[in-house]
Amino acid sequence: MNRHFLRRGFTLMELLVVISIIGILSAILYANFTDARIAAKNKSLQSELKEVSLALEVYKSQNSHYPILPAGSSINDYTYDLWYTLIPEFIADMPVKEDSSNSACDITYVTDATGSYYKITAAECAGGINAAADGVHPASEFARCPINGCGVCASDTYDSNYILTAPFYESYAVYSVGGECK
């Protein structure tokens, strides 16, 4: 019997080719999963902001005003009353910057002294966005300021230059009537 036909297994070259193909496919899949994970975190943060907005509306319907906090307080700071006012009666938990895929994220709650309006801004919390065209559009329901509705938005002049900056297109906001331009 010929020994050549009894040889079993793969050559080193065959194994290297297979391993290379698996490596290339893994790299492609990893990149796609990373993008999907960032997009999912962005959507999750938007959902959390909507939940807080609904909780605030329920709070107002029961108390005739929105929760009142010191100006510019952060809802990430658990010592402020908003945390204790809304949880657990109105909402299970509040969004925090760690929920974002952007490390520059800052979430703030703004109201007036009477609680007649509110605005929650998740400033620079959208991750994976490299240009204004990929980010939050001025007509989006989560836009930091409504399109053609504000002359000033968060101390910045609302114009075509401002909407092209990261503080606008990487930010989400939810607000009541009267809180749009704060």
Side-chain angles (χ1 to χ4, degrees), residues 3-176:
R3 287 172 148 260
H4 182 67
F5 292 109
L6 293 176
R7 189 185 86 180
R8 293 185 181 171
F10 298 104
T11 67
L12 181 60
M13 189 56 81
E14 291 170 332
L15 287 173
L16 287 174
V17 168
V18 169
I19 291 171
S20 297
I21 291 171
I22 291 172
I24 291 169
L25 291 175
S26 296
I28 292 169
L29 289 175
Y30 180 76
N32 288 338
F33 285 134
T34 300
D35 292 345
R37 184 177 37 239
I38 290 171
K41 280 190 139 193
N42 289 342
K43 288 292 185 188
S44 176
L45 183 58
Q46 289 174 0
S47 294
E48 289 178 18
L49 290 171
K50 283 296 248 185
E51 288 175 21
V52 173
S53 178
L54 292 172
L56 288 167
E57 293 301 331
V58 172
Y59 179 91
K60 183 181 181 193
S61 71
Q62 292 182 9
N63 298 289
S64 302
H65 62 83
Y66 296 109
I68 301 167
L69 297 176
S73 15
S74 172
I75 63 175
N76 290 325
D77 186 347
Y78 299 168
T79 62
Y80 286 118
D81 293 335
L82 182 63
W83 186 262
Y84 299 109
T85 301
L86 295 178
I87 295 175
E89 188 176 345
F90 298 98
I91 193 167
D93 64 355
M94 300 293 280
V96 292
K97 62 184 177 182
E98 288 77 17
D99 295 339
S100 164
S101 55
N102 188 337
S103 61
C105 181
D106 184 36
I107 302 174
T108 56
Y109 173 82
V110 177
T111 189
D112 62 356
T114 62
S116 64
Y117 67 83
Y118 75 89
K119 182 173 188 175
I120 297 176
T121 305
E124 298 184 56
C125 291
I129 298 173
N130 299 319
D134 301 329
V136 178
H137 188 271
S140 166
E141 69 175 311
F142 292 102
R144 197 164 186 170
C145 293
I147 192 165
N148 299 326
C150 298
V152 174
C153 181
S155 303
D156 290 304
T157 303
Y158 183 79
D159 59 17
S160 58
N161 292 327
Y162 177 57
I163 64 175
L164 296 176
T165 65
F168 185 87
Y169 68 77
E170 289 183 353
S171 299
Y172 301 122
V174 290
Y175 36 80
S176 66

